[in-house]
Amino acid sequence: MYRAAVLTVSDRSFRGERPDAGGPLVAEILKQAGYEVACTAIVPDEQPQIEAALCRIADATDVQLLVTTGGTGFAPRDVTPEATIAVCDRLTPGIPEAMRYASMQVTNRAMLSRAQAGIRKGTLIINLPGSPKAARENLEAVLPAISHGLEMLSGVPADCASLSK
């Protein structure tokens, strides 16, 4: 079983003006997929605070997967991708590419997502949209392959060619 964390990026949810719908949904999807959700948190759309939360969670909570929700669009305050890039050691472009591809089957607005994914030490960080519907669609598109990525990240020898879909 892998340990996961969910970080919601939302000014309104952080201030308590709007309940966080995306974070709890993502946490539930992860639990149903067999992940232990070790922590959840909410931060405002402020790049330094997002970066600090990503570092704190990835470095101090022993999670292998850190999923963010929110802040991936075109709005001036949407800076989750920049924060993710700033704290990652290596980017994993195939994950957001796959999410955008899957989401394009639903709406052409998927091309407007700026979501990123990357590795910080032993933690895989994935950005999801803030919309619960879009977060579900994006996470479900990549979740089947994520456990294999986490297995490789942990150093367990893995033969990618011998695995089926």
Side-chain angles (χ1 to χ4, degrees), residues 7 23 34 36 38 49 55 59 61 76-77 83 88 90 94 105 120 126 137 139 147 153 156:
L7 178 66
E36 175 191 343
Q49 288 181 263
C55 291
D59 298 350
T61 61
R77 292 189 53 76
C88 284
R90 299 181 287 160
Q105 309 311 303
R120 177 177 175 85
I126 300 174
E137 291 168 359
L139 183 57
S147 61
L153 187 57
V156 173

Side-chain angles (χ1 to χ4, degrees), residues 15-121:
R15 291 189 303 255
E17 296 170 6
R18 179 179 68 187
D20 175 22
L25 174 66
V26 168
E28 184 57 34
I29 293 168
L30 290 170
K31 287 176 189 173
Q32 289 176 4
Y35 289 80
E36 175 191 343
V37 178
C39 70
T40 60
I42 302 174
V43 295
D45 291 278
E46 295 289 344
Q47 187 169 342
Q49 288 181 263
I50 300 166
E51 288 179 22
L54 291 171
C55 291
R56 183 177 61 253
I57 294 168
D59 298 350
T61 61
D62 189 35
V63 297
Q64 293 79 41
L65 177 63
L66 171 49
V67 180
T68 70
T69 179
T72 62
F74 280 22
R77 292 189 53 76
D78 287 343
V79 294
T80 304
E82 288 77 12
T84 301
I85 291 168
V87 304
C88 284
D89 305 313
R90 299 181 287 160
L91 295 180
T92 56
I95 294 170
E97 289 168 4
M99 292 189 307
R100 280 187 281 274
Y101 174 79
S103 199
M104 282 291 294
Q105 309 311 303
V106 178
T107 176
N108 65 358
R109 292 183 181 176
M111 70 179 76
L112 303 178
S113 171
R114 299 181 321 103
Q116 294 290 320
I119 298 165
R120 177 177 175 85
K121 300 178 182 174

